[in-house]
Amino acid sequence: MIDPRIERTRNVVLDATAALIGEVGFGRTTIEAVAERSGVARSTIYRHWPDRTDLLAEAVDCKIAHVPFDQTGNLRNDLLSMITELAARLGPDNVGPMLLSLIAEAGRDPKMAAMQERFTTTRFGRIRSILEAAAARGDLPEDVDVDRMAEDLVSPIFFRALIRRSPVDREWLEQHVDRLLATYGG
């Protein structure tokens, strides 16, 4: 069992790291900046994360971690639930800025590229399972291209939230899911 004081310190450092990544990007998120932001000594940070990239990776993993999701069997509701959670996490006060920085850094750093791939694979895997289950139930055509449908589902959300920086509210999400289901025969 981990000492609660150590766990608190780790959480403070990870929160400070994630906030810095979102504010100044990966390149300028240094151990020194994390120490200053968190109030935790550099030596303590190095004791837990000997490599700066490991600290950055763990901070991102903590913030974009898998959120448990139970399928209800209602395709529209399951998709709405999934993308509502995604849209909320992409907001400017959440992981949106950090994710933009991750995407930029992934082109330069193989560890960050692997992290981006894990994020994408996890998200797509969850959406694919919803779509595959719907096709098996007959709620979607049996031959539906689940990868393409998943991309068509999430791409506009990322574009709207991260590129246009427009609100992704419940009404927009409902209309988006309804258009998608009409297009794919669901």
Side-chain angles (χ1 to χ4, degrees), residues 64 99 102-107 111-121:
I64 62 175
L99 190 56
L102 174 62
I103 292 166
E105 193 66 21
K111 284 186 178 181
M112 295 299 122
M115 188 183 323
Q116 180 189 0
E117 181 61 28
R118 275 195 317 274
F119 173 77
T120 304
T121 300

Side-chain angles (χ1 to χ4, degrees), residues 130-173:
I130 292 170
L131 299 175
E132 288 168 348
R137 286 190 312 268
D139 293 343
L140 286 171
E142 189 176 292
D143 63 344
V144 68
D145 183 342
V146 294
D147 288 331
R148 183 173 181 176
M149 188 173 179
E151 286 179 7
D152 288 347
L153 176 68
V154 299
S155 296
I157 298 166
F158 278 86
F159 179 79
R160 188 171 176 92
L162 300 179
I163 306 301
R164 290 192 62 211
R165 299 177 191 243
S166 297
V168 185
D169 59 24
R170 179 71 181 197
E171 180 181 351
W172 186 89
L173 291 169

Side-chain angles (χ1 to χ4, degrees), residues 72-134:
T72 65
N74 179 304
L75 178 57
R76 183 179 188 274
N77 289 344
D78 287 347
L79 291 177
L80 273 171
S81 178
M82 175 72 64
I83 66 172
T84 298
E85 181 262 327
L86 174 63
R89 292 175 137 238
L90 292 178
D93 298 328
N94 211 320
V95 301
M98 186 171 51
L99 190 56
L100 286 172
S101 186
L102 174 62
I103 292 166
E105 193 66 21
R108 294 183 285 273
D109 184 332
K111 284 186 178 181
M112 295 299 122
M115 188 183 323
Q116 180 189 0
E117 181 61 28
R118 275 195 317 274
F119 173 77
T120 304
T121 300
T122 300
R123 290 284 175 192
F124 264 66
R126 293 170 66 200
I127 295 167
R128 288 190 85 220
S129 69
I130 292 170
L131 299 175
E132 288 168 348

Side-chain angles (χ1 to χ4, degrees), residues 22-84:
E23 291 169 18
V24 301
F26 281 89
R28 293 180 40 208
T29 301
T30 63
I31 297 293
E32 291 75 18
V34 171
E36 184 177 318
R37 169 70 67 96
S38 68
V40 174
R42 286 188 351 217
S43 60
T44 301
I45 294 170
Y46 279 115
R47 190 175 317 121
H48 293 282
W49 298 277
D51 182 85
R52 174 184 162 274
T53 304
D54 292 336
L55 171 60
L56 299 176
E58 189 171 340
V60 171
D61 278 342
C62 286
K63 293 298 178 184
I64 62 175
H66 172 75
V67 175
F69 176 77
D70 294 321
Q71 293 185 40
T72 65
N74 179 304
L75 178 57
R76 183 179 188 274
N77 289 344
D78 287 347
L79 291 177
L80 273 171
S81 178
M82 175 72 64
I83 66 172
T84 298

